[in-house]
Amino acid sequence: MYAQMVKSEASQEDPEKLAAFQKRIDANEKIEPKDWMPEGYRKTLIRQIGQHAHSEIVGQLPEGNWITRAPTLERKAILLAKVQDEAGHGLYLYCAAETLGVSRDELTEMLLDGRMKYSSIFNYPTLTWADMGAVGWLVDGAAIMNQVPLQRTSYGPYARAMVRICKEESFHQRQGFDIMMKMANGTPAQKQMAQDALNRIWFPALMMFGPSDKDSVHSSQSMAWKIKMNTNDELRQKFVDQTAPQAEYLGLTVPDETLAWNDEKGGYDFAEPDWSEFHDVIQGNGPCNADRLEARNRAWNDNAWVREGMMAHAAKKRAQKVAAQ
Amino acid sequence: MSDPRNEWPLWEVFIRGQHGLSHRHVGSLHAADAEGALKNARDVYTRRNEGLSIWVVEAAQITASSPSDKGPLYEPAESKVYRHPTFFDIPDEVGAM
Amino acid sequence: MNNALFESLLRLGDNTLVIGHRVSEWCGVAPVLEEDIALANMALDLIGQTQMWLGLAADVEGEGRSADDLAMLRDVWDFRNVLLVEQPNGDFGQTIMRQYLFDQFHLLQLQHLTQSTEDRIAAIAQKAVKEVTYHVDRSRDTVVALGDGTEESNRRMQAALTKLWPYIGEMFAADAIDLEMATAGVIPDPASLRADYDAATRVVFADAVLTPPAGDFAHGGGKTGFRHSEHLGHLLTQMQWLQRAYPGARW
Ligand SMILES: [Fe+2]
Ligand SMILES: [Fe+2]
């Protein structure tokens, strides 16, 4: 997911306070910034929201890659508005993390020097226009699956950010599917492009949910705190169940020969992605890790003078105002 | 490391929408000064026709009640249920009220 | 077909097309998130204006071409944008200076176009002028802030102004097409906008602690299509790639 394999922190605090805190969570009360919270809850949230925010920002790059090559003026506008939304999502999430006592610049620097991660999916290249379709359809589709339940997460600012994000997400998956429909019903070359995109993006999309975590202590702590709402396997199953018929509608073949409806479980059977590839990507060896980090670092460093210049001007204006009074 | 003194301050954004309701908190953003915050708010928070009027307040300027005040601040209001229209049972035959 | 009208519409639409494209190149790599979002808004406005101007141009031409055909299937010599807008982004200073220099002109031009004797032009201008009023507000304030900011930001903004200065004149250079359309009240004579432009920019440069270079040499050849800069071809190579590589496909 946009936040993958987030380690939770155990809390060594007053058991009475911890119990009262858990009671509030169990009663579906929202935890707000000034409320008492266990250190572990705070730290885990910073990690999770920060990683989520970084994913939105790095996620601008693979789609931004095609804005200047969009085939029509309308497609260019739609894609630009979509990628712009992702910048907004990053912004809302950083603001939510800031309520926990960390600044946006601090989080940014942890992304830039590799101390913090972002979703594995954005380390894959976008090679053809059909990838804009497949990313919207599958990647945003997977993200929505995870984000909708997070609207009910226990931390107020995070939940509110998710509400806003989910509202905006609704057109992302649809515009992706719309591109796929055009391609799948287009010329033979376009159809081939669409199939190729599905072939490359299917398994990385399944990896977004992370490895099975049904036995993970981190996951069960996060679920008790309601900052994680479903297990990775639940969401992955839901995703496949939703997506497989859509691929069929498009007349495209999911690159998984074992994919088949299972009446008994009321869902599809499907092949697991190659988890060793996933771990390689997480370790920094995905096809685009180096490029993505370099692009983010360049944007940050080359433009430091802009941020500083704006601040210096604001300070001068303030000083003038004071002097005039 | 970037200098924390160079980080743009945080602003809280309030927007009044189409329907004459009061300004409502919609989120936060960063800007070097108030004018910049207002412009950024327009760009960030009104992309889908959300608003007609924007307020921005530097987050550091906000004084917030603390959770321990919750009791004294809000409980007195909770006991005054007669302030809510549903407190009163009006017979159906009276019609809408 | 009214050729002068067609040419004038291409000039309007190609300006917004090319500068909108340039601004969209910043998506995902702007100095700060708020700026990333603001630049995308501006690019979206400009792409929308392009659809209207080139759509009308295609109508006027009456040969069954669409706005997309005009954007994606013409070569460099058919483009009618001023040289200023095709200049590369450079650093953020150069981008925002180019934007301000264009926005200030664009606003004056649109204000006059709202009074055009050609109703369809007036209608487009009425929508666009609201958008561009905000563009000028934003690019002007940013130019002033960065010009006035730090030593480095001042140096970069001065370099941007010096570099782009010779591209200002072309926006106001009237040719036979302009004069024919101006006489008919369809568009303003570009030369008539110069005094207001100079008055507005003078104040901004002073607030931004920037020194306008001496001399008024002006490059030309963009809006007539006679001689674009080398940069435009590369921009088109990207923008038109799919339409050229897969002729006739629908997207
Ligand atoms: Fe998003
Ligand atoms: Fe999205």
Side-chain angles (χ1 to χ4, degrees):
Chain A
M1 202 26 58
Y2 278 20
Q4 288 162 325
M5 306 213 304
V6 176
K7 286 209 175 74
S8 64
E9 300 254 344
S11 285
Q12 257 86 44
E13 274 139 327
D14 179 359
E16 229 171 86
K17 276 187 164 174
L18 283 175
F21 179 78
Q22 190 60 48
K23 220 170 123 192
R24 291 190 62 195
I25 296 212
D26 294 343
N28 288 327
E29 270 184 53
K30 290 277 178 263
I31 309 300
E32 294 297 338
K34 289 184 119 191
D35 294 348
W36 183 87
M37 63 186 83
E39 234 350 70
Y41 177 82
R42 198 180 65 82
K43 283 192 180 149
T44 308
L45 265 178
I46 289 178
R47 221 173 271 162
Q48 177 172 333
I49 302 174
Q51 205 185 107
H52 195 154
H54 298 331
S55 297
E56 302 281 358
I57 301 314
V58 178
Q60 287 186 272
L61 298 171
E63 288 178 289
N65 184 35
W66 278 90
I67 289 172
T68 56
R69 289 179 289 174
T72 67
L73 294 169
E74 188 181 63
R75 286 288 178 204
K76 193 209 287 269
I78 293 170
L79 182 62
L80 180 54
K82 194 266 182 194
V83 181
Q84 178 194 45
D85 274 353
E86 308 301 3
H89 299 172
L91 189 154
Y92 311 151
L93 287 162
Y94 283 125
C95 288
E98 282 182 274
T99 62
L100 294 159
V102 59
S103 80
R104 186 166 88 185
D105 282 9
E106 283 172 317
L107 287 168
T108 302
E109 279 177 355
M110 287 195 270
L111 165 70
L112 297 181
D113 65 18
R115 274 176 293 161
M116 284 184 86
K117 304 264 181 247
Y118 54 89
S119 177
S120 55
I121 188 72
F122 302 120
N123 290 311
Y124 289 86
T126 54
L127 301 178
T128 70
W129 176 251
D131 288 18
M132 296 304 97
V135 166
W137 171 38
L138 300 173
V139 176
D140 287 82
I144 291 168
M145 204 134 268
N146 167 264
Q147 289 171 347
V148 166
L150 277 176
Q151 294 179 99
R152 291 177 286 112
T153 187
S154 62
Y155 188 55
Y158 191 22
R160 289 189 285 274
M162 289 324 302
V163 169
R164 197 172 185 93
I165 288 172
C166 285
K167 221 187 275 166
E168 299 185 0
E169 280 295 346
S170 57
F171 99 85
H172 294 184
Q173 191 183 17
R174 297 171 75 105
Q175 64 88 34
F177 196 73
D178 188 58
I179 291 175
M180 288 309 268
M181 286 197 297
K182 271 268 161 45
M183 305 288 286
N185 298 312
T187 64
Q190 283 178 305
K191 182 155 190 187
Q192 192 186 343
M193 236 186 259
Q195 182 62 54
D196 172 69
L198 178 57
N199 291 349
R200 279 181 290 106
I201 296 176
W202 175 257
F203 282 112
L206 294 191
M207 290 179 203
M208 287 175 70
F209 299 95
S212 178
D213 61 350
K214 54 184 187 300
D215 306 318
S216 151
V217 260
H218 297 302
S219 274
S220 51
Q221 175 59 274
S222 289
M223 287 178 83
W225 278 335
K226 293 192 183 157
I227 56 182
K228 182 175 168 72
M229 311 301 282
N230 308 84
T231 67
N232 296 346
D233 291 323
E234 273 166 26
L235 289 173
R236 189 170 15 249
Q237 181 69 51
K238 216 175 145 195
F239 175 75
V240 173
D241 291 347
Q242 180 187 292
T243 312
Q246 294 168 345
E248 200 175 328
Y249 174 86
L250 291 171
L252 299 177
T253 311
V254 173
D256 173 2
E257 284 170 14
T258 67
L259 184 80
W261 177 256
N262 179 335
D263 242 343
E264 218 168 287
K265 78 171 180 187
Y268 282 86
D269 290 330
F270 58 93
E272 290 276 312
D274 174 358
W275 291 111
S276 69
E277 176 181 315
F278 172 77
H279 289 291
D280 279 342
V281 174
I282 294 281
Q283 298 305 315
N285 291 322
C288 298
N289 293 58
D291 291 341
R292 300 290 185 244
L293 269 187
E294 195 186 307
R296 286 310 316 156
N297 271 287
R298 214 181 316 120
W300 185 250
N301 296 330
D302 292 0
N303 293 306
W305 70 272
V306 177
R307 298 187 299 273
E308 286 158 16
M310 302 285 278
M311 274 302 269
H313 171 69
K316 284 184 196 174
K317 264 199 318 192
R318 249 192 327 273
Q320 276 165 9
K321 224 184 242 173
V322 172
Q325 274 163 8
Chain B
M1 265 315 261
S2 68
D3 184 342
R5 281 168 308 176
N6 277 329
E7 179 155 9
W8 291 3
L10 189 68
W11 300 78
E12 299 300 334
V13 181
F14 301 81
I15 290 182
R16 177 160 53 74
Q18 322 259 347
H19 307 294
L21 299 173
S22 344
H23 284 77
R24 202 170 67 87
H25 183 243
V26 295
S28 338
L29 49 73
H30 288 264
D33 55 22
E35 291 75 25
L38 214 47
K39 287 203 171 64
N40 288 345
R42 177 215 180 264
D43 278 301
V44 173
Y45 287 108
T46 69
R47 303 203 305 286
R48 288 170 167 83
N49 292 322
E50 289 95 333
L52 298 174
S53 160
I54 306 175
W55 291 347
V56 290
V57 186
E58 198 173 341
Q61 300 298 320
I62 291 180
T63 310
S65 64
S66 83
S68 51
D69 297 338
K70 222 180 198 166
L73 276 181
Y74 307 114
E75 267 162 35
E78 268 167 37
S79 62
K80 297 176 180 61
V81 287
Y82 45 78
R83 286 202 176 111
H84 300 273
T86 46
F87 177 76
F88 304 94
D89 263 333
I90 305 289
D92 287 348
E93 47 274 35
V94 178
M97 184 177 285
Chain C
M1 175 187 61
N2 182 336
N3 192 61
L5 179 58
F6 178 64
E7 286 282 324
S8 296
L9 289 165
L10 288 183
R11 290 172 178 185
L12 287 161
D14 288 347
N15 276 347
T16 54
L17 171 64
V18 172
I19 199 164
H21 184 96
R22 283 289 189 222
V23 175
S24 79
E25 292 173 11
W26 276 97
C27 184
V29 293
V32 69
L33 279 173
E34 287 79 1
E35 194 62 47
D36 209 302
I37 292 169
L39 288 170
N41 276 340
M42 189 147 61
L44 285 168
D45 287 343
L46 292 163
I47 296 167
Q49 293 170 20
T50 303
Q51 289 174 298
M52 295 189 284
W53 292 130
L54 293 186
L56 181 52
D59 271 1
V60 166
E61 187 191 36
E63 298 198 354
R65 291 205 280 182
S66 65
D68 279 326
D69 292 335
L70 290 175
M72 301 296 177
L73 298 172
R74 282 177 301 150
D75 206 342
V76 169
W77 53 73
D78 290 326
F79 271 76
R80 295 291 181 266
N81 58 281
V82 292
L83 297 175
L84 174 69
V85 298
E86 69 196 44
Q87 297 311 302
N89 284 344
D91 66 3
F92 182 77
Q94 193 175 315
T95 295
I96 207 69
M97 180 60 79
R98 183 189 62 202
Q99 195 61 42
Y100 171 64
L101 295 176
F102 176 71
D103 287 344
Q104 190 71 69
F105 160 77
H106 198 197
L107 179 64
L108 292 167
Q109 183 188 43
L110 288 169
Q111 283 168 341
H112 282 82
L113 288 175
T114 59
Q115 309 299 321
S116 172
T117 51
E118 164 60 71
D119 291 348
R120 292 172 296 177
I121 288 183
I124 296 172
Q126 259 145 27
K127 176 168 191 322
V129 77
K130 291 182 202 136
E131 297 168 346
V132 172
T133 300
Y134 179 70
H135 298 179
V136 184
D137 251 18
R138 189 164 181 112
S139 62
R140 187 216 310 114
D141 284 5
T142 310
V143 164
V144 168
L146 292 176
D148 177 59
T150 60
E151 225 169 278
E152 181 182 7
S153 69
N154 176 269
R155 177 174 55 71
R156 286 175 182 264
M157 295 312 287
Q158 183 63 56
L161 178 59
T162 304
K163 178 161 186 165
L164 296 173
W165 188 254
Y167 295 99
I168 294 174
E170 188 189 11
M171 296 187 283
F172 304 97
D175 65 3
I177 292 169
D178 290 323
L179 294 179
E180 182 188 334
M181 286 287 102
T183 308
V186 177
I187 65 165
D189 174 354
S192 73
L193 307 176
R194 184 75 202 239
D196 285 347
Y197 183 87
D198 287 344
T201 52
R202 200 175 305 125
V203 176
V204 170
F205 296 148
D207 288 350
V209 208
L210 297 174
T211 314
D216 54 5
F217 174 77
H219 291 291
K223 67 185 261 187
T224 61
F226 174 68
R227 190 172 63 205
H228 279 278
S229 68
E230 290 178 349
H231 306 296
L232 182 61
H234 292 280
L235 184 153
L236 297 185
T237 305
Q238 260 191 37
M239 187 172 80
Q240 301 182 337
W241 151 251
L242 280 170
Q243 293 279 3
R244 300 287 192 180
Y246 301 93
R250 301 171 61 86
W251 304 92

